[in-house]
Amino acid sequence: MAQQEDVFKKIVSHCKEYGFVFPSSDIYDGLGAVYDYGQNGVELKNNIKQYWWQSMVLLHQNIVGIDAAIFMHPTTWKASGHVDAFNDPLIDNRDSKKRYRADVLIEDQMAKYDEKIEKEIAKARKRFGDSFDEAQFRATNARVLEHQAKRDALHERFAKAMNANDLDELKQIIIDEEIVCPISGTRNWTDVRQFNLMFKTEMGSTAEGASTIYLRPETAQGIFVNYLNVQKTGRMKVPFGIAQIGKAFRNEIVARQFIFRMREFEQMEMQFFVKPGTELTWFEQWKKTRMAWHQALGFGAENYRFHDHDKLAHYANAATDIEFHMPFGFKEVEGIHSRTNFDLSQHAKYSGKKIEYFDPETNESYTPFVIETSIGVDRMFLSVMCHAYNEEQLENGETRVVLRLPAALAPVKLAVLPLVKKDGLPEKAQEIINDLRFHFNCKYEEKDTIGKRYRRMDAIGCPYCVTIDHDTLNDNCVTLRDRDTMEQTRVPISELRNIIEDKVSITSLLKKLL
Ligand code: GAP
């Protein structure tokens, strides 16, 4: 575990050192849980967004995109339930004065039972070697059974308390489980209180005339309030979807783990409108489609899992998360929710507008049900970084840090490196860039030895480098180096586009989805 934490720290500092992610307002020592993307980060982030957008809007004839404003009519949030119910249960430790989410403290406690079980299993595996039968061990070992029973009981009690919004019971669980504050080490807890996560501001110039508006905590509502506009102007037929990428804001109580939980972040959401009664079939379909999107990146199926929700939101009739194996455990990257017709019905009620679909085939009108897929761009970015970051021992005894990014997501696709800064080599390099820059992102680098330049390109995940040497001037060939294998081959300049373009384009990923 400690080793994994070290890896995570290295990833965070790598992100800063190589221009991927900086703390916001860094010269003022940052702002809690707000981050800026640097010159390489923004390219990687844009590529992730493009991969998502194209998989939704290009590959589906019945999905269109929109870009709604961040500010919305305040009644939107009353109708959606966010004013009354978008709360997290918080608790303070009186000694450290630190604030925690009560549900997270309890989830961490459940993870401790899981860790204890895993430890027992690891010990036994070592002892029994090849003959070890994990399933049998789990079913019979007294210590494992004891931890499992405690975990299950805690899980049941926790799910019940969350479902009933029982704040006293949440506190009682924290006391009964003897959970201590990680800072002060004490159990001197306040009561659990609800805390609304929406940021507020005022629109209008005078105090009397100004109205309170919210920074949207999810992009989804911008889609719901535009359902009629899009359905009518696009003459969309159910089932159809509306996709959107945009910023969302939440005043998170505990902001931890770098860009995993931020106060300003970005979501990629798609609401898929379906006929009532068909929603659970579509829910299963979208689970498959979204998992395939993740797995096409080639990070290994074992690094993903579904986690079904214990506590269903009042409007949902099914919900699951896609979790990715981060250095700090399996964590939610995407949520897939069957939201019934709750949102559209609420907006119909609060706006007084009829929000329905007339089905020309059956001649009936209904309020469509909705399947939502909702993924955080920043969490996706983090999962890509965590998987890509590698420290490798080379044959010559050196180590290299390499980001094994999928080529289609890499910020820079090709580095063009003249061997020396003279003899016409820089000019030749520039010629190559002038030709290829229309097709993919190229970078010119002439400083330092070729070895050092290769390392810098490995560190930003650039899949290809070409070196221009004196022979290039005569034979019009360059040395092409592959980031992952470090193999070098001599290829004609005229072939570069053919060799590289296909491998670095988003299309190469999209084709895996069909
Ligand atoms: N419209 C549904 C919705 O917003 P959610 O599970 O609250 O559902 C969806 O959020 C996704 O947004 C999450 O799976 C996560 O990737 C991302 N997300 C949520 N809160 C976040 C935060 N504070 N920082 C970064 N990403 C966040």
Side-chain angles (χ1 to χ4, degrees):
M1 200 66 187
Q3 211 184 355
Q4 288 295 296
E5 273 164 26
D6 279 353
V7 171
F8 189 57
K9 277 190 194 143
K10 284 184 188 171
I11 293 170
V12 175
S13 51
H14 190 87
C15 279
K16 181 163 185 194
E17 193 180 341
Y18 286 93
F20 283 91
V21 183
F22 306 126
S24 156
S25 340
D26 202 11
I27 55 169
Y28 294 104
D29 297 331
L31 179 69
V34 186
Y35 291 90
D36 297 340
Y37 286 83
Q39 66 280 13
N40 289 316
V42 70
E43 296 289 343
L44 171 54
K45 198 178 181 211
N46 282 342
N47 291 337
I48 291 172
K49 290 197 269 188
Q50 225 190 328
Y51 174 39
W52 183 87
W53 185 265
Q54 297 192 0
S55 76
M56 288 291 175
V57 175
L58 293 192
L59 297 193
H60 295 94
Q61 286 296 305
N62 58 351
I63 298 181
V64 293
I66 62 163
D67 183 19
I70 288 171
F71 291 150
M72 299 183 69
H73 193 286
T75 310
T76 307
W77 306 109
K78 193 73 194 151
S80 67
H82 284 81
V83 172
D84 296 322
F86 194 53
N87 301 319
D88 274 344
L90 69 80
I91 188 165
D92 295 292
N93 182 270
R94 289 197 184 91
D95 298 319
S96 67
K97 311 268 182 278
K98 286 279 171 202
R99 179 159 286 178
Y100 299 92
R101 267 175 62 177
D103 54 333
V104 172
L105 285 179
I106 298 171
E107 275 167 4
D108 287 350
Q109 179 73 359
M110 286 195 285
K112 279 190 187 145
Y113 287 122
D114 288 336
E115 266 169 43
K116 284 181 186 165
I117 294 171
E118 290 308 322
K119 258 192 201 149
E120 293 294 341
I121 290 171
K123 263 196 303 190
R125 179 171 288 119
K126 215 168 167 186
R127 200 164 357 117
F128 295 116
D130 286 345
S131 61
F132 181 61
D133 179 341
E134 184 179 326
Q136 196 196 356
F137 186 76
R138 276 182 186 274
T140 53
N141 179 271
R143 269 193 300 270
V144 169
L145 289 175
E146 189 189 330
H147 295 316
Q148 190 65 48
K150 282 189 184 160
R151 190 211 186 277
D152 291 347
L154 173 58
H155 182 247
E156 197 185 325
R157 200 174 158 198
F158 171 58
K160 217 165 136 194
M162 288 295 282
N163 273 321
N165 264 330
D166 188 342
L167 303 184
D168 292 340
E169 173 67 354
L170 285 178
K171 178 170 182 187
Q172 198 55 48
I173 294 175
I174 289 172
I175 291 168
D176 293 348
E177 288 285 326
E178 303 184 344
I179 295 173
V180 296
C181 163
I183 308 288
S184 66
T186 72
R187 287 182 233 150
N188 193 3
W189 297 110
T190 62
D191 285 343
V192 177
R193 281 164 296 144
Q194 291 288 23
F195 176 77
N196 192 289
L197 300 183
M198 283 198 294
F199 283 101
K200 277 186 208 167
T201 187
E202 292 198 333
M203 187 177 256
S205 53
T206 61
E208 305 87 64
S211 60
T212 300
I213 54 167
Y214 300 95
L215 298 190
R216 65 182 180 199
E218 62 170 11
T219 57
Q221 297 304 325
I223 293 180
F224 290 124
V225 299
N226 275 297
Y227 162 81
L228 281 180
N229 284 337
V230 174
Q231 194 273 318
K232 290 201 169 128
T233 58
R235 298 198 287 161
M236 307 300 291
K237 277 192 175 161
V238 167
F240 74 92
I242 305 179
Q244 177 171 220
I245 300 178
K247 289 270 178 146
F249 305 82
R250 294 182 191 178
N251 197 3
E252 297 284 357
I253 299 165
V254 192
R256 272 194 306 189
Q257 286 143 343
F258 191 38
I259 54 172
F260 183 78
R261 196 174 299 286
M262 302 158 88
R263 296 198 167 102
E264 173 180 340
F265 57 100
E266 215 166 350
Q267 289 184 316
M268 307 190 279
E269 297 200 298
M270 196 279 301
Q271 317 296 132
F272 198 70
F273 300 94
V274 304
K275 189 173 178 177
T278 64
E279 71 276 10
L280 292 180
T281 313
W282 281 111
F283 176 71
E284 290 306 322
Q285 180 59 47
W286 277 108
K287 275 175 71 173
K288 277 198 205 117
T289 306
R290 293 304 304 145
M291 188 57 107
W293 183 90
H294 285 276
Q295 294 193 358
L297 291 170
F299 297 166
E302 70 284 3
N303 286 315
Y304 299 90
R305 70 181 188 196
F306 285 114
H307 173 248
D308 295 334
H309 287 202
D310 290 322
K311 184 191 175 191
L312 284 181
H314 54 287
Y315 51 77
N317 65 2
T320 195
D321 296 332
I322 294 181
E323 294 186 337
F324 181 75
H325 197 189
M326 305 268 192
F328 43 93
F330 270 94
K331 295 288 166 191
E332 172 191 345
V333 175
E334 171 156 6
I336 301 167
H337 313 122
S338 174
R339 287 177 81 129
T340 66
N341 61 1
F342 174 80
D343 300 87
L344 291 183
S345 303
Q346 285 291 101
H347 288 305
K349 184 169 143 199
Y350 278 79
S351 68
K353 306 274 183 334
K354 192 171 161 197
I355 306 183
E356 286 189 344
Y357 175 73
F358 175 73
D359 191 332
E361 273 153 37
T362 59
N363 271 347
E364 50 173 355
S365 289
Y366 54 78
T367 309
F369 273 41
V370 172
I371 304 301
E372 163 183 83
T373 72
S374 173
I375 170 169
V377 181
D378 313 271
R379 278 195 198 172
M380 189 59 207
F381 184 108
L382 185 59
S383 64
V384 170
M385 269 294 183
C386 289
H387 190 270
Y389 183 89
N390 275 278
E391 284 174 19
E392 284 180 1
Q393 197 74 39
L394 301 179
E395 275 171 13
N396 64 6
E398 284 178 23
T399 49
R400 73 160 179 161
V401 172
V402 54
L403 287 189
R404 289 181 182 276
L405 295 171
L409 299 187
V412 177
K413 313 298 188 189
L414 176 70
V416 183
L417 317 172
L419 193 60
V420 289
K421 280 190 256 181
K422 54 183 186 182
D423 304 336
L425 302 191
E427 289 77 8
K428 191 73 186 167
Q430 203 54 55
E431 242 177 63
I432 296 177
I433 290 188
N434 287 350
D435 184 31
L436 293 179
R437 65 184 165 179
F438 297 103
H439 310 292
F440 42 78
N441 199 357
C442 303
K443 190 175 168 69
Y444 176 80
E445 277 259 23
E446 60 175 27
K447 197 168 172 290
D448 294 326
T449 62
I450 281 290
K452 277 193 181 159
R453 281 181 269 171
Y454 282 158
R455 289 289 168 277
R456 277 207 299 274
M457 290 302 133
D458 288 343
I460 64 164
C462 177
Y464 298 105
C465 295
V466 290
T467 309
I468 287 85
D469 56 26
H470 290 92
D471 289 342
T472 308
L473 302 178
N474 301 320
D475 64 5
N476 267 322
C477 288
V478 287
T479 305
L480 177 69
R481 174 192 182 262
D482 179 286
R483 176 196 69 198
D484 295 338
T485 61
M486 292 191 288
E487 261 172 27
Q488 302 190 10
T489 40
R490 196 83 186 153
V491 300
I493 293 171
S494 57
E495 278 301 303
L496 282 176
R497 185 177 163 200
N498 266 351
I499 298 171
I500 298 171
E501 191 175 24
D502 218 30
K503 299 201 180 80
V504 301
S505 76
I506 298 285
T507 314
S508 65
L509 284 178
L510 295 177
K511 282 185 178 160
K512 292 189 191 169
L513 303 178
L514 296 176

